[in-house]
Amino acid sequence: MMKDIVHRVFSVGMALLVLFSTVSFTVEKHYCGDVLVDVSLFAEVQKCAMEAYEMEQSSITKKSCCKDTIDVVQGQDELTVKTFDDLEFEQQVFLTTFSYSYLNLFEDLQEREISHQDYSPPNLVYDIQVRDQAFLI
């Protein structure tokens, strides 16, 4: 039961690890001066009103105070699958001995037979605590 749950949790964790290592995305940021105005992951950033005003006044050529930065987070493109035969001989020996010793480390407990399970104790004729005068204080 517990082994089954651990196996499922481990499988889901490995699947999420593969998924997040292969996903790539871009983060776009729009600055007006030194102030961050907008951040976007999936859509285009909204331009501020200052940049729209500068577009209208294009006859005056002056340096724009707005700037856009794009940060690209690349995921892994190719996943390589290694087999046991791709390992060196020393690594193969280490893995086999480690797995053999680890699997034999834990042995299942044998189910014990309880011989007095159906035994009912005898009825008490007198109170033993009063007879022996052993009281809890």
Side-chain angles (χ1 to χ4, degrees), residues 11-39:
S11 298
V12 169
M14 291 298 289
L16 289 175
L17 179 72
V18 169
L19 176 70
F20 288 126
S21 69
T22 57
V23 171
S24 60
F25 57 92
T26 60
V27 178
E28 295 185 37
K29 299 175 187 175
H30 180 74
Y31 292 95
C32 255
D34 291 334
V35 178
L36 179 64
V37 176
D38 192 22
V39 176

Side-chain angles (χ1 to χ4, degrees), residues 30-119:
H30 180 74
Y31 292 95
C32 255
D34 291 334
V35 178
L36 179 64
V37 176
D38 192 22
V39 176
S40 176
L41 286 174
F42 301 109
E44 196 172 309
V45 292
Q46 286 184 332
K47 307 295 183 189
C48 61
M50 188 67 167
E51 190 169 293
Y53 176 73
E54 288 175 0
M55 291 291 188
E56 291 175 3
Q57 303 293 332
S58 62
S59 61
I60 304 171
T61 57
K62 75 176 198 181
K63 193 173 183 182
S64 174
C65 67
C66 297
K67 66 179 179 179
D68 293 329
T69 60
I70 298 174
D71 298 327
V72 178
V73 178
Q74 281 287 6
Q76 201 174 13
D77 288 340
E78 296 178 10
L79 295 176
T80 57
V81 177
K82 297 267 186 178
T83 61
F84 186 72
D85 296 329
D86 294 338
L87 298 174
E88 295 177 10
F89 179 72
E90 291 83 14
Q91 293 172 335
Q92 290 178 354
V93 169
F94 174 76
L95 283 176
T96 53
T97 54
F98 180 76
S99 61
Y100 180 76
S101 63
Y102 185 76
L103 290 176
N104 288 334
L105 182 65
F106 302 107
E107 295 180 4
D108 292 338
L109 293 176
Q110 295 180 0
E111 195 170 314
R112 291 185 175 178
E113 183 178 330
I114 301 173
S115 60
H116 60 279
Q117 183 175 5
D118 297 326
Y119 174 74

